[in-house]
Amino acid sequence: MSTPAAVWAWLTTAANWSGENGVWHRLAQHAALTFACLVLSALIALPIALTLGHLGRGGALAVNLANVGRAVPTFAVLVLLLLTPIGRHEEWPTIIALVLFAVPPLLTNAYVGMREVDQDVVRAARGMGMTGVQLVWRVEAPLALPLVLTGVRIAAVQLVATATLAALVGGGGLGRIITAGFNLASTPQVVAGAVVVAVFALLMEALFELVQRLAPARVRGRQR
Amino acid sequence: MTAPPDDCLARNDWICGDYLSTRRQILLDAVGQHVQLTVVSVGLGLVIALPLALLARRRRWTVGPVLGITTVIYTIPSLAMFSLLLPVYGLSATLVVVGLALYSLTLLVRNILAGLDGVPAGTKEAARGMGYGPMRQLLAVELPLAVPAAMAGLRIATVSAVALTTVGAIVGYGGLGNLIYAGMNAYFKAQVLTASVLCVLIAVVFDLLLLGVERLLTPWRRAGRSPRPARGRRLPTASGRRA
């Protein structure tokens, strides 16, 4: 049987979709992990970014965080965490690594969004007697929203991709189908797993694209 | 019966000098493979990206499809990318190289295109006025002026590729990633930490090297005003990273 046919056969076998190691279970794990980490990263990154953006400090931090983040291999961080005492708690290495990698885009985009707010508008709001907190919530944050949401989108897509690597260190998620395929020396399963992972990542990207298209123009901001 | 040796290898310390001295050759080989995989893949990406960017500039209608397709490729997780290429290339270094080259396309095409679009119209008119033909104008005026933007993309692509190469361990060609993978299975702390640190070091060295190349290629940017490197000039807004 040729590879594409074998892959199709794997994908259309009901047994591969059900049970502990089935696609549905792995997909649910993957989605839950991604979502939990996205919420956690946003809770960490956004308050810091909004504060620093409002004060106009920390630009170097935002840029350097993004640059350092690129140079550190996710896989290495996962394994390092796994070998520390944290590794004894099954999910924690994955969650920490994922959050570490979702924070920089969230932080950078929200910070830049806050800084790009028209300073005349900020001055006008101040002139109207707004306090710092009012300024953040009523003026700066709403105007920064498009870029903040871009950060959320990048972080979400990145999380879907990174959650795949959890499988390399024995974590759950869709990547497990691929690693299991390698262990079984079953190329059809490896490729079928890769197809499922790729489709999920692309669907995530498409979902955000759609939401951004449908959102009101004010939220959408200028298209990048 | 001799007592078990009490050194950092036996204690499984994170930092271990004995590891560095006894496994020197293994580490050097892994670094060599890592650097080779990175350079070849980013080089391949550049060779494909440059004509694509030039095509997109010449025929404007191709901009959408070219950027669209490369962005879609960029979305695919690395583990899936390497696995998808498995039937085509088997368990080989080529598989890792092709995967990484595909990732670098997005960053390179976008940045080269942005650099070419950023050449001032007045400069191009001046070149035409001096009798430059389209080819000479491209080679002598537009491409050099596009270098800063293109180099920004190349630096990001290279640093990302260094980090991503580790995932190639899944097919046995991950350079230092192989050591990290093996170290994980053997619970060998010194090996995992050393290989991870070396990965970051390689990325930093490449970044500095490319920064140096950029300065050599753009001598006019240092003339006159006080020198100011490109770093920090543009905030990384819409660019995520790969994993």
Side-chain angles (χ1 to χ4, degrees):
Chain A
M1 202 159 35
S2 68
T3 310
V7 170
W8 181 249
W10 193 95
L11 284 171
T12 48
T13 304
N16 292 329
W17 288 72
S18 58
E20 265 289 279
N21 298 319
V23 174
W24 291 124
H25 182 232
R26 294 299 184 201
L27 184 64
Q29 279 181 330
H30 207 98
L33 192 61
T34 306
F35 185 72
C37 292
L38 186 63
V39 172
L40 212 55
S41 332
L43 286 178
I44 296 170
L46 294 186
I48 298 175
L50 293 190
T51 312
L52 291 179
H54 173 68
L55 297 174
R57 287 167 210 276
L61 174 80
V63 174
N64 286 327
L65 208 59
N67 286 341
V68 171
R70 271 182 232 285
V72 181
T74 319
F75 174 50
V77 173
L78 269 171
V79 176
L80 281 173
L81 286 170
L82 190 75
L83 297 190
T84 61
I86 301 168
R88 279 198 287 273
H89 311 276
E90 239 175 83
E91 295 291 340
W92 280 108
T94 315
I95 292 176
I96 294 174
L98 290 182
V99 168
L100 274 179
F101 285 94
V103 162
L106 283 168
L107 193 68
T108 314
N109 277 274
Y111 177 82
V112 173
M114 290 291 278
R115 295 312 302 155
E116 280 189 0
V117 171
D118 190 340
Q119 288 306 303
D120 285 343
V121 178
V122 174
R123 272 193 289 272
R126 257 190 224 289
M128 285 167 66
M130 280 197 184
T131 64
V133 177
Q134 281 176 325
L135 193 64
V136 170
W137 285 115
R138 299 210 194 147
V139 180
E140 289 175 316
L143 286 173
L145 196 58
L147 266 181
V148 174
L149 291 181
T150 305
V152 173
R153 171 186 174 156
I154 294 170
V157 174
Q158 188 171 304
L159 280 173
V160 169
T162 319
T164 315
L165 294 185
L168 289 178
V169 300
L174 285 172
R176 271 301 265 280
I177 300 170
I178 297 175
T179 51
F182 270 109
N183 291 336
L184 297 167
S186 158
T187 305
Q189 178 170 342
V190 169
V191 178
V195 170
V196 174
V197 170
V199 167
F200 185 56
L202 292 175
L203 277 180
M204 192 64 146
E205 177 88 14
L207 182 75
F208 273 95
E209 183 75 37
L210 197 69
V211 170
Q212 270 182 331
R213 287 256 166 99
L214 295 178
R218 188 177 61 77
V219 182
R220 205 161 46 212
R222 60 211 142 97
Q223 286 289 324
R224 281 169 184 264
Chain B
M1 195 183 132
T2 54
D6 183 37
D7 57 14
C8 60
L9 280 172
R11 285 195 306 270
N12 197 15
D13 287 343
W14 282 104
I15 299 167
C16 178
D18 287 350
Y19 173 73
L20 292 180
S21 52
T22 55
R23 314 292 166 96
R24 210 168 134 208
Q25 199 50 49
I26 296 174
L27 282 168
L28 285 177
D29 288 349
V31 168
Q33 191 189 53
H34 208 105
V35 168
Q36 202 183 348
L37 285 170
T38 309
V39 170
V40 174
S41 54
V42 177
L44 181 64
L46 198 58
V47 167
I48 302 171
L50 192 60
L52 272 182
L54 290 177
L55 172 81
R57 198 189 54 121
R58 190 59 55 86
R59 309 244 180 283
R60 281 328 293 201
W61 61 269
T62 56
V63 172
V66 166
L67 289 185
I69 292 169
T70 52
T71 307
V72 163
I73 292 173
Y74 199 69
T75 308
I76 299 171
S78 52
L79 188 61
M81 177 72 94
F82 292 150
S83 308
L84 277 175
L85 295 171
L86 186 65
V88 189
Y89 299 106
L91 295 173
S92 67
T94 318
L95 181 151
V96 180
V97 165
V98 171
L100 293 175
L102 284 174
Y103 282 138
S104 67
L105 279 185
T106 318
L107 298 163
L108 292 173
V109 172
R110 260 177 208 281
N111 279 274
I112 297 173
L113 210 53
L116 288 172
D117 284 344
V119 176
T123 312
K124 282 187 269 192
E125 264 168 47
R128 257 200 302 279
M130 285 169 70
Y132 279 35
M135 201 51 174
R136 193 161 165 220
Q137 183 184 326
L138 179 71
L139 292 178
V141 179
E142 291 175 80
L143 281 179
L145 285 178
V147 161
M151 285 301 285
L154 187 62
R155 283 170 62 195
I156 298 174
T158 309
V159 170
S160 307
V162 173
L164 271 183
T165 301
T166 54
V167 182
I170 188 80
V171 292
Y173 292 90
L176 291 160
N178 289 354
L179 295 184
I180 297 175
Y181 204 47
M184 174 183 79
N185 291 326
Y187 215 82
F188 192 171
K189 290 178 178 173
Q191 176 155 311
V192 172
L193 184 66
T194 311
S196 305
V197 170
L198 282 174
C199 270
V200 177
L201 274 181
I202 293 176
V204 172
V205 169
F206 266 125
D207 201 38
L208 291 177
L209 276 178
L210 287 173
L211 186 66
V213 170
E214 184 186 337
R215 286 174 68 91
L216 283 178
L217 287 178
T218 54
W220 62 87
R221 299 181 102 214
R222 268 170 297 154
R225 283 168 297 131
S226 59
R228 193 170 164 212
R231 176 182 286 274
R233 200 167 47 82
R234 56 176 66 212
L235 287 165
T237 47
S239 51
R241 64 179 287 267
R242 293 281 338 140

